[in-house]
Amino acid sequence: MVPVKLLILGTQNTGKTAFCVRFITKRFIGEYDHKKEVIYRCNKLVDQDSVDVEILDLASKAGDSHPPSLESSIRWADGFLLLYSITHRASFVKVTPVKKLIDQTKQSLVVPTVLVANKADLEIGRQVTTEEGQKLAQELRCGFSELSVAEEVSSVEAAVIQLIRLVLDQQRPPADRRSYMLSVRHALTRKLTRSKTMQW
């Protein structure tokens, strides 16, 4: 069992808690008002790894984009989900300073992060285009997903699995990656040799 700790961040009303509950339970609940941080836990099979997932959802108050525990929570986490609402440009604008704080706190050039544009079902109220989200994700070196937590459980799962893969890839030492690729190559070579032998 591989432990993976994720932190979900975003301004109030971006759908952080709904996102977590959707991922864990597959159910959608639209309204939340929690006043303390919550850790959601589940087990997932990602490729061939059995992963023990923890997602930390910090309590957010109106106008409080940097709760006091934020830096210690960043140090705790292996990967980050940065949420904004496509119907609320201010939530999009606040992503960049949060990502900069993550990079400074982790002191790493590559921090496993996925930028999530939520509320894609509310097209009529859109204030942030898909292209703007994609461009920001490139600038911040993040994965990107535009989705509706309310409508698509599969897209929520895909975004989290994408982040887990980024975390696992970073955790695997370079030597392990090389040896893994070599073992795959040897196995394929043996298989090809055996099939050629069988043909003759």
Side-chain angles (χ1 to χ4, degrees):
M1 188 73 73
V2 183
V4 170
K5 295 176 288 190
L6 308 179
L7 176 60
I8 188 165
L9 294 169
T11 59
Q12 197 174 36
N13 298 321
T14 52
K16 300 187 305 296
T17 304
F19 183 99
C20 294
V21 172
R22 189 71 143 149
F23 176 69
I24 300 291
T25 69
K26 300 191 179 346
R27 290 182 298 122
F28 174 69
I29 301 170
E31 293 295 323
Y32 291 92
D33 183 25
H34 69 84
K35 305 228 174 352
K36 58 183 180 180
E37 62 183 46
V38 179
I39 294 182
Y40 299 89
R41 291 184 174 88
C42 68
N43 296 326
K44 288 283 176 184
L45 189 63
V46 179
D47 302 324
Q48 281 143 11
D49 292 304
S50 181
V51 182
D52 181 21
V53 185
E54 290 184 323
I55 305 176
L56 173 58
D57 180 15
L58 297 175
S60 58
K61 301 171 189 167
D64 181 19
S65 58
H66 289 211
S69 61
L70 182 55
E71 287 190 37
S72 61
S73 299
I74 289 171
R75 284 190 287 274
W76 169 87
D78 302 311
F80 301 87
L81 291 154
L82 302 182
L83 259 70
Y84 69 89
S85 167
I86 67 158
T87 64
H88 190 221
R89 177 161 284 276
S91 68
F92 175 73
V93 170
K94 288 181 179 176
V95 166
T96 300
V98 170
K99 179 60 165 62
K100 285 181 178 171
L101 180 62
I102 291 169
D103 291 343
Q104 288 167 6
T105 305
K106 298 300 271 187
Q107 297 185 340
S108 173
L109 288 172
V110 181
V111 179
T113 309
V114 173
L115 180 63
V116 178
N118 187 25
K119 306 194 181 182
D121 56 311
L122 303 178
E123 190 63 40
I124 196 164
R126 182 185 282 273
Q127 295 181 7
V128 183
T129 67
T130 304
E131 292 73 25
E132 286 177 296
Q134 290 170 333
K135 184 181 176 192
L136 182 62
Q138 285 181 337
E139 289 171 359
L140 299 179
R141 300 183 302 279
C142 300
F144 178 76
S145 179
E146 184 171 286
L147 52 79
S148 165
V149 172
E151 292 190 343
E152 309 161 32
V153 66
S154 59
S155 297
V156 170
E157 288 180 340
V160 180
I161 297 299
Q162 179 188 9
L163 179 56
I164 291 170
R165 284 192 177 117
L166 291 172
V167 171
L168 293 177
D169 189 51
Q170 191 178 64
Q171 287 179 349
R172 193 175 288 125
D176 282 3
R177 287 182 213 163
R178 279 199 299 274
S179 62
Y180 172 74
M181 292 307 295
L182 281 170
S183 64
V184 170
R185 192 178 303 162
H186 289 321
L188 286 171
T189 306
R190 281 197 303 273
K191 192 172 181 182
L192 287 169
T193 307
R194 196 179 306 122
S195 59
K196 283 179 184 174
T197 308
M198 287 171 69
Q199 284 171 6
W200 292 107

